[in-house]
Amino acid sequence: MKKRQVKKYLGALLLSGALFCASLQTVYAEEVQPGTEPGTESGTGTDITADGGESQPDIVPEPLAESGTDTVSGETTEVNAPRITQDVIEWNGGLLEIPVDLGDYAADELKMTIKTQEGWARSATEITENSAVFSFLGGYYNGAWDVRRWFFNAGDYELDVSFTDASGTLETTGSFILSIPVDSQPWVVQKERVVFDGSEDLVFRFENGTNYLELVPSSLDLYIWTAMGFGYHYLESGVTVDTDSGTVTIDKDAFISTLIKRRDDYNGYGLHDIVTILCDGQTVYGETARRLNEITDDGTGYYDTDLAWEVDITGLDTNNLEKYLQPSGSDGQAAEFTGTNADNISVSKTDADVISRSALSYIQNNYADQLAALGDNYTVSSRLVLSEQTADDLASDVKEAFSSCAPDATVGKYYDISVQADVLQDGNVVEGLGSLTVAMLDSEIQLNVNIPGDLKKDGRSFMMLHYHNGQGTVLESSVTNDTITFKTSAFSPYAIAYKDAVSTTQSNSAAQNTSVKNTQSTAPKTGDEVSGMLPAAAAVISLCVLAAVVYMRKRHCR
């Protein structure tokens, strides 16, 4: 009886295993019937499309016929093929117009191509009833060919001509002589990368072409691209072409304004460290040459889209480009910066422009009534003033604010730094509008202050403190060649503070304290102990199960 039960259980176990394996089998795709293709009905040659309809055979356009039989009347008809009507054509630049006779064909049925003996080909940009028009500059920008492969030397050139229909079937071939009476030299640009800090105009070298490759200087359109796509932004003004000196100059304010527009249009994603300048122009014959400042260096005659003019704007604060714009008023108003009152403080020319522009704006906003009596002819002259102070010169709350913001530092020198401005008319200070204090600038500037000699010491680090609106602040700063550099847009008390290097004894004491702390923190976590015991517990349970199985088998054998 026991044996039958064992067999019964064993059979059930084998049956369950077989069913389980069957459920795991891979379901294969439906086999294709012999003689049919996937997606077609068996026994038919009609393709079934995705929407259940029948697909249509490809329509092959019929070539133009030279002659043939009318299938309705049965009569033979002669067809006049297209051809050119002159054997020699003189070309003096601009668009090349070739006289043609289209025969029995319409212009929109044909494509016409001319080809040099070296294999360089151009297609007609326009075909009319009596002529075909070709451009030797059209498509110049696309990097596929070099304008200098075409005819810039005087002479006679044999060109092959072909007419084809829409399907590309050859219809008519021929040739003619292109006669060029004068030499033409292409324009020349050079590979240049200009570093731009916002203080000077951009200048690139440019030599104009001659004859049919001569460009109209006023036609040059410059636009910028910054390697992020998003289209292009044109320089709407500020471009000067001097053919005598061979230069193209871009006004710095026009360039900055274009950068601002690109930055704002694309939320900052359109500006990279290197800005590429592209240039289009028009020849004296009215043809457009695009990206005319592309160059090639390998002598193959192919342009590799390597644009010659680049601008490095790494040094610009692209988030605050407005500060680089030339300060000016309107209707005769002007602003100027006359410098600093001391040798131990300095600013860059770009930041000096920010000061003068800010001073003009501040005076106009706060002294409008006094300025109204002057009309529009006045100048706001500004300067940067640094005055050294002692602790006795400062109010107690200012000194306390400095101590609170840098409790571990020692103040070495106090300063009052300010921007002062005068309103001038006819070169004289207007009464009541002299030595006006400009409290705030339109944007941050970078100031450089020399560290006094009596504060210098090996191992000593320096920082700049600023008191503004009742609070002391440690400004972000750097020290180079005994000069501390920092940024600010507000003017009031400042202080240079310092810290000395920690002594060797203090360092050893700190190291000991650290060692003790590390020793105390090496105890293992409770969670680690529990997770480490799990494998051991599993092993013990496994041994117990094995022992139980052995015991049951021995008992069964008895």
Side-chain angles (χ1 to χ4, degrees):
M1 179 64 183
K2 291 183 179 180
K3 290 183 179 181
R4 285 198 298 269
Q5 288 180 344
V6 170
K7 291 181 178 179
K8 179 180 180 180
Y9 296 149
L10 181 59
L13 181 61
L14 292 174
L15 177 60
S16 299
L19 291 173
F20 178 74
C21 293
S23 67
L24 296 180
Q25 286 184 342
T26 303
V27 179
Y28 289 94
E30 184 178 281
E31 293 186 2
V32 179
Q33 299 266 344
T36 64
E37 295 294 331
T40 65
E41 295 182 352
S42 175
T44 68
T46 304
D47 289 344
I48 306 300
T49 61
D51 59 3
E54 296 183 1
S55 64
Q56 300 299 322
D58 293 337
I59 298 176
V60 180
E62 298 181 0
L64 296 173
E66 297 182 19
S67 63
T69 302
D70 190 310
T71 58
V72 177
S73 64
E75 296 180 358
T76 300
T77 58
E78 295 295 335
V79 178
N80 294 319
R83 63 187 180 86
I84 61 173
T85 59
Q86 282 185 219
D87 295 330
V88 178
I89 299 173
E90 184 176 295
W91 179 60
N92 293 288
L95 297 174
L96 173 62
E97 189 170 346
I98 300 176
V100 297
D101 179 355
L102 300 184
D104 293 334
Y105 305 101
D108 57 4
E109 294 181 283
L110 297 171
K111 177 182 178 181
M112 180 179 174
T113 303
I114 59 175
K115 183 185 297 185
T116 68
Q117 298 302 305
E118 295 79 16
W120 291 84
R122 299 295 286 170
S123 296
T125 58
E126 181 184 9
I127 299 178
T128 66
E129 183 179 352
N130 300 314
S131 66
V133 179
F134 292 82
S135 171
F136 291 142
L137 290 181
Y140 168 75
Y141 67 93
N142 65 10
W145 62 289
D146 182 348
V147 68
R148 282 166 283 192
R149 285 286 183 182
W150 295 89
F151 320 104
F152 61 91
N153 288 330
D156 294 333
Y157 300 86
E158 182 179 355
L159 297 182
D160 294 326
V161 179
S162 65
F163 290 92
T164 57
D165 64 2
S167 66
T169 302
L170 184 64
E171 177 64 22
T172 304
T173 60
S175 65
F176 70 98
I177 299 298
L178 182 66
S179 179
I180 301 176
V182 294
D183 291 338
S184 298
Q185 291 299 324
W187 55 85
V188 178
V189 295
Q190 298 184 36
K191 181 73 173 179
E192 298 177 89
R193 177 175 290 183
V194 178
V195 177
F196 182 67
D197 64 1
S199 63
E200 296 181 352
D201 295 340
L202 298 167
V203 180
F204 296 101
R205 284 167 288 182
F206 169 80
E207 183 179 339
N208 204 350
T210 62
N211 295 327
Y212 83 82
L213 292 179
E214 180 182 354
L215 299 166
V216 178
S218 60
S219 74
L220 265 60
D221 269 339
L222 274 64
Y223 47 106
I224 67 171
W225 182 66
T226 56
M228 279 293 289
F230 301 122
Y232 306 101
H233 283 74
Y234 280 84
L235 288 152
E236 297 178 357
S237 61
V239 178
T240 304
V241 180
D242 188 339
T243 54
D244 292 333
S245 62
T247 59
V248 172
T249 301
I250 303 173
D251 177 75
K252 68 182 186 66
D253 287 340
F255 181 69
I256 292 171
S257 297
T258 308
L259 290 179
I260 291 172
K261 180 174 176 57
R262 185 170 183 84
R263 179 201 64 190
D264 294 346
D265 283 353
Y266 301 111
N267 298 318
Y269 292 106
L271 291 181
H272 280 231
D273 291 341
I274 304 300
V275 176
T276 302
I277 305 293
L278 298 92
C279 182
D280 296 345
Q282 205 170 52
T283 70
V284 293
Y285 290 97
E287 277 201 279
T288 297
R290 294 198 57 200
R291 297 189 188 178
L292 57 86
N293 60 334
E294 285 182 343
I295 59 172
T296 182
D297 297 322
D298 57 9
T300 63
Y302 284 90
Y303 278 78
D304 57 4
T305 66
D306 186 13
L307 292 156
W309 300 339
E310 295 178 337
V311 184
D312 185 340
I313 61 169
T314 307
L316 292 184
D317 181 1
T318 55
N319 293 319
N320 190 17
L321 289 169
E322 290 77 6
K323 73 178 184 180
Y324 301 102
L325 292 173
Q326 177 68 30
S328 63
S330 59
D331 301 326
Q333 304 157 12
E336 64 180 13
F337 179 75
T338 59
T340 65
N341 72 322
D343 293 335
N344 57 341
I345 186 170
S346 62
V347 293
S348 68
K349 184 181 184 303
T350 299
D351 288 328
D353 289 343
V354 174
I355 293 174
S356 58
R357 184 180 67 250
S358 300
L360 174 63
S361 176
Y362 180 83
I363 299 301
Q364 289 178 333
N365 291 334
N366 292 277
Y367 297 89
D369 293 340
Q370 295 92 319
L371 294 176
L374 303 177
D376 294 324
N377 187 22
Y378 62 85
T379 298
V380 175
S381 177
S382 57
R383 58 193 175 276
L384 185 64
V385 178
L386 179 144
S387 302
E388 295 185 5
Q389 295 185 317
T390 66
D392 295 336
D393 297 326
L394 272 67
S396 59
D397 58 337
V398 176
K399 291 183 286 187
E400 290 174 3
F402 282 150
S403 299
S404 298
C405 70
D408 298 331
T410 302
V411 174
K413 183 70 69 175
Y414 295 103
Y415 297 102
D416 181 78
I417 302 176
S418 64
V419 171
Q420 296 182 8
D422 300 324
V423 178
L424 307 177
Q425 190 170 54
D426 299 328
N428 300 315
V429 178
V430 177
E431 185 177 355
L433 294 177
S435 298
L436 303 176
T437 299
V438 179
M440 289 287 293
L441 300 180
D442 294 342
S443 59
E444 285 189 336
I445 62 171
Q446 182 171 284
L447 296 179
N448 310 300
V449 176
N450 296 343
I451 298 173
D454 58 350
L455 296 183
K456 298 175 185 177
K457 181 180 178 181
D458 290 342
R460 177 169 288 181
S461 59
F462 295 91
M463 66 188 74
M464 182 61 73
L465 312 181
H466 182 212
Y467 178 82
H468 185 64
N469 290 337
Q471 293 185 339
T473 304
V474 179
L475 300 178
E476 183 177 345
S477 60
S478 61
V479 176
T480 305
N481 297 328
D482 298 329
T483 299
I484 187 166
T485 300
F486 59 96
K487 292 183 177 181
T488 187
S489 61
F491 297 95
S492 47
Y494 288 84
I496 291 181
Y498 62 85
K499 290 182 181 181
D500 288 326
V502 180
S503 65
T504 305
T505 303
Q506 291 173 320
S507 298
N508 292 337
S509 175
Q512 291 174 1
N513 292 335
T514 302
S515 176
V516 171
K517 290 180 181 179
N518 288 342
T519 302
Q520 293 174 346
S521 64
T522 55
K525 296 181 180 179
T526 305
D528 293 338
E529 292 178 351
V530 173
S531 61
M533 295 173 61
L534 289 177
V540 172
I541 293 173
S542 300
L543 289 174
C544 291
V545 172
L546 180 61
V549 171
V550 172
Y551 174 75
M552 293 298 294
R553 291 188 62 183
K554 287 183 177 180
R555 183 176 179 181
H556 178 72
C557 292
R558 290 175 186 168

